[in-house]
Amino acid sequence: MQTPKDEQRTPPTLQELAGRSLLKDKSRAILALEHLPIQLFPPLFMEAFSGGHTEVLKKMVQAWPFTRLPLGALMKKPQLEMIQAALDGLDMLAAQQDRPRRWKLQVLDLRKVHGNFWRMWSGAAVDACSPGVMKERQTVKASPDTGPTLPLKVLVNLRFQQRSLNAFHSFLFHWVDERKGLIQLCCKKLQMCSLPVHTIEKILERLDLDSIQQLDVQCFWRLSTLATFATYWGQMSNLRKLFFSHVYVSAYASQEERDQLMDDITSQFAKMDSLRRLYLDGVFLLEGRLCQVLRLLKTPLETLSITDCLLSDPDWNDLSGSPNLDQLIHLTLWGSKLTSFSPEPLVILLENAAATLETLNLQDCGITNSQLQAILPVLSCCSQLRVLSFNGNDISMSVLSNLLLHTSRLTRLSLEKYPAPLESYDAQGAIHPGRLFQLIDELMATLRDEVETAGAGFVEGSWELLEVVVWSHGRCPLTRGHEEELKIETWSSNGS
């Protein structure tokens, strides 16, 4: 049996040896490109890339016989020298009046995706002659009648974590700026953490905003800054995921100014035709306007995540009335304090999404015994639920036991997180380990009795491992010896 080390020592194939031999003579390699069979282009390109043969690489880009060149999949991190060689090849091509007859390139992909393209053509992943591979290869061949179109698309995923651009970003943007009208810079995933606002505006002006599908903004912005930025996200017609956090309101802004800025921000949500996942973290400015935002959306949400946010009474009471939450798959209210709210809106929300909901996270929400009791009947109707998080709430032993009984029939449930029962704390508010694990044993015994009693009422076949994680009152898991999690293995309905 081969080990990973043995596989790494596998001798090179004849094709790889031939490619290396050809690349030893740069002039001969460049001349050979005119008549090189299409199926040899990808493996020779990989050899040229890994060997740092920049001059051959430039010529191969000019003669590339496929519509897409997934260059980013060959790099663990951006390699400026090799990226520059590829872009230089495109520049040399643009300067020519007559394009090479075989050139079909329309998309230069600098993202770390499409690794299958290279594995398929190198034969590393599967038998190179199998019918399935030959069929897949045919799908990526360019049609003889298909020529390149302008502008050329350059695909990137951009992540900015510093206050200044790194070398790769600076080089790429400078290259794009000098070729306006010839290059369409597309970005599917855009993440910004610490960049100055004027830098962000310059970046967005370079991008094809319709190409952005995921936007992640983690900047400590003023409300006025967000209002300016919101005009850009309103132009992102294909945006599917929006995450933003830590926006604060200036103490010097009047109420009239705040209302106007909030109107400018919320109005942009009406332009998001494709938004399916919305994440709000530590954003207090939507207090009193959350339901207004949800009603403006054009499509139902799959994910709604509201973490460490303040919700007003109108927000909470109107939440269940939003038609855009009826198809929720993931609902997270982590850290949003619900202690003083009626449980009824959450009951209605869960009823509406019972057929689709897979994740429910109510961690650190300050949920009380009476609130939890109120949602238990509808919770047991969420038949698709896979992950349930209740840790960080003050729940008694009797209510926690009742919760387990209600969820024991949810056969898809694979991960549950619960707080330590209130009875496991001593007078000083500290966990008493002996008492805690005695209560855990009682809970597990109750759950086993319920499963045995239900018998044929459960889905036939073997059960998946049910992982029950018991958490302390805070966010650190309890430990038992060296274990951080307590696991129980359920059994099939026939008792095997």
Side-chain angles (χ1 to χ4, degrees):
M1 180 177 179
Q2 278 192 329
T3 66
K5 288 186 178 180
D6 293 330
E7 292 175 357
Q8 292 175 6
R9 299 192 190 101
T10 301
T13 64
L14 290 176
Q15 181 176 279
E16 291 170 338
L17 291 173
R20 293 173 190 176
S21 176
L22 182 61
L23 290 170
K24 289 180 180 178
D25 187 335
K26 179 178 66 176
S27 299
R28 185 164 66 95
I30 292 174
L31 288 173
L33 295 179
E34 178 67 20
H35 304 289
L36 190 71
I38 284 181
Q39 63 268 26
L40 296 183
F41 258 83
L44 185 63
F45 190 95
M46 285 188 283
E47 287 291 340
F49 185 92
S50 61
H53 300 282
T54 55
E55 293 304 315
V56 176
L57 207 66
K58 293 177 186 179
K59 293 296 183 180
M60 293 199 75
V61 170
Q62 296 175 52
W64 192 248
F66 305 96
T67 57
R68 179 185 295 264
L69 173 55
L71 187 63
L74 296 177
M75 301 178 285
K76 291 184 178 179
K77 60 181 180 179
Q79 299 179 29
L80 273 183
E81 182 182 9
M82 306 312 291
I83 293 176
Q84 185 169 358
L87 298 182
D88 285 348
L90 293 175
D91 286 340
M92 294 165 64
L93 186 67
Q96 300 176 15
Q97 290 186 349
D98 298 323
R99 302 290 172 85
R101 63 178 180 84
R102 305 176 71 177
W103 185 58
K104 308 297 180 186
L105 185 61
Q106 297 179 25
V107 178
L108 176 62
D109 196 339
L110 299 180
R111 302 172 301 164
K112 297 179 184 178
V113 295
H114 298 298
N116 287 339
F117 174 89
W118 301 109
R119 287 193 295 272
M120 176 180 64
W121 285 100
S122 69
V126 287
D127 181 6
C129 297
S130 66
V133 173
M134 295 306 295
K135 182 178 179 180
E136 189 173 357
R137 286 182 175 182
Q138 291 171 5
T139 64
V140 296
K141 288 184 180 180
S143 167
D145 298 327
T146 302
T149 59
L150 290 177
L152 175 75
K153 285 187 178 181
V154 177
L155 307 185
V156 291
N157 285 332
L158 297 175
R159 184 178 183 182
F160 304 100
Q161 293 183 298
Q162 302 173 347
R163 289 194 60 80
S164 58
L165 302 180
N166 62 29
F168 166 67
H169 295 141
S170 298
F171 171 79
L172 177 64
F173 292 146
H174 178 71
W175 185 81
V176 170
D177 288 343
E178 291 189 337
R179 292 154 185 82
K180 287 185 177 179
L182 300 177
I183 302 297
Q184 183 180 3
L185 188 58
C186 301
C187 176
K188 181 178 180 180
K189 299 178 182 179
L190 176 60
Q191 183 181 69
M192 297 176 289
C193 295
S194 304
L195 287 176
V197 177
H198 69 275
T199 302
I200 292 175
E201 288 187 285
K202 289 182 179 179
I203 292 171
L204 292 174
E205 288 168 0
R206 293 183 176 103
L207 297 177
D208 174 16
L209 297 181
D210 284 338
S211 69
I212 299 176
Q213 296 183 28
Q214 298 185 28
L215 178 61
D216 189 336
V217 180
Q218 300 182 48
C219 301
F220 287 87
W221 280 354
R222 294 181 180 179
L223 187 60
S224 56
T225 302
L226 181 62
T228 300
F229 179 68
T231 60
Y232 288 98
W233 85 44
Q235 301 174 53
M236 301 175 187
S237 59
N238 292 307
L239 189 66
R240 294 183 59 83
K241 173 190 173 183
L242 174 61
F243 177 102
F244 70 94
S245 64
H246 300 104
V247 180
Y248 66 94
V249 180
S250 172
Y252 301 103
S254 67
Q255 187 60 49
E256 183 179 356
E257 290 174 320
R258 296 183 187 186
D259 290 342
Q260 181 59 55
L261 290 172
M262 283 306 305
D263 287 341
D264 294 340
I265 292 170
T266 55
S267 65
Q268 301 302 319
F269 284 90
K271 303 175 183 179
M272 298 181 186
D273 297 338
S274 304
L275 190 67
R276 302 304 300 271
R277 293 182 286 165
L278 178 60
Y279 300 80
L280 308 173
D281 176 46
V283 178
F284 302 107
L285 57 92
L286 287 179
E287 184 180 1
R289 289 179 176 260
L290 178 60
C291 287
Q292 176 188 353
V293 167
L294 294 176
R295 289 195 179 98
L296 287 173
L297 297 178
K298 298 293 183 63
T299 54
L301 288 179
E302 294 176 354
T303 299
L304 176 62
S305 177
I306 304 174
T307 56
D308 292 322
C309 294
L310 286 178
L311 296 176
S312 67
D313 284 319
D315 285 332
W316 181 248
N317 293 329
D318 293 342
L319 198 61
S320 58
S322 174
N324 286 322
L325 301 182
D326 290 353
Q327 299 176 29
L328 275 180
I329 298 176
H330 308 286
L331 174 61
T332 295
L333 298 174
W334 186 346
S336 300
K337 298 305 178 185
L338 308 179
T339 307
S340 61
F341 293 149
S342 165
E344 189 61 24
L346 182 58
V347 170
I348 298 174
L349 181 59
L350 293 178
E351 283 179 347
N352 294 340
T356 57
L357 193 66
E358 295 182 8
T359 302
L360 178 60
N361 189 335
L362 298 176
Q363 180 174 333
D364 292 327
C365 288
I367 292 178
T368 63
N369 281 330
S370 59
Q371 289 174 321
L372 181 53
Q373 289 278 35
I375 69 173
L376 287 183
V378 68
L379 188 61
S380 62
C381 296
C382 297
S383 58
Q384 304 302 311
L385 201 62
R386 295 177 181 273
V387 178
L388 178 62
S389 298
F390 268 111
N391 42 307
N393 297 295
D394 292 331
I395 306 300
S396 68
M397 176 65 176
S398 60
V399 175
L400 191 54
S401 178
N402 200 10
L403 171 59
L404 284 174
L405 294 178
H406 274 81
T407 58
S408 61
R409 292 178 178 271
L410 298 178
T411 56
R412 290 180 176 268
L413 199 58
S414 59
L415 178 63
E416 305 166 59
K417 297 182 180 181
Y418 300 121
L422 290 175
E423 289 84 349
S424 59
Y425 290 88
D426 61 23
Q428 286 71 42
I431 289 286
H432 189 287
R435 178 60 176 156
L436 171 63
F437 289 111
Q438 178 185 344
L439 294 174
I440 291 173
D441 290 339
E442 293 177 14
L443 287 171
M444 295 303 99
T446 300
L447 182 58
R448 291 189 186 96
D449 290 343
E450 173 66 15
V451 173
E452 290 176 344
T453 301
F458 286 84
V459 177
E460 294 183 359
S462 298
W463 285 58
E464 296 179 356
L465 180 68
L466 176 63
E467 187 176 348
V468 179
V469 185
V470 182
W471 289 67
S472 67
H473 190 66
R475 295 187 179 180
C476 298
L478 296 171
T479 61
R480 186 176 188 178
H482 297 290
E483 298 175 359
E484 292 186 352
E485 298 173 345
L486 297 177
K487 297 182 181 180
I488 60 170
E489 189 171 358
T490 58
W491 48 90
S492 64
S493 58
N494 57 15
S496 60

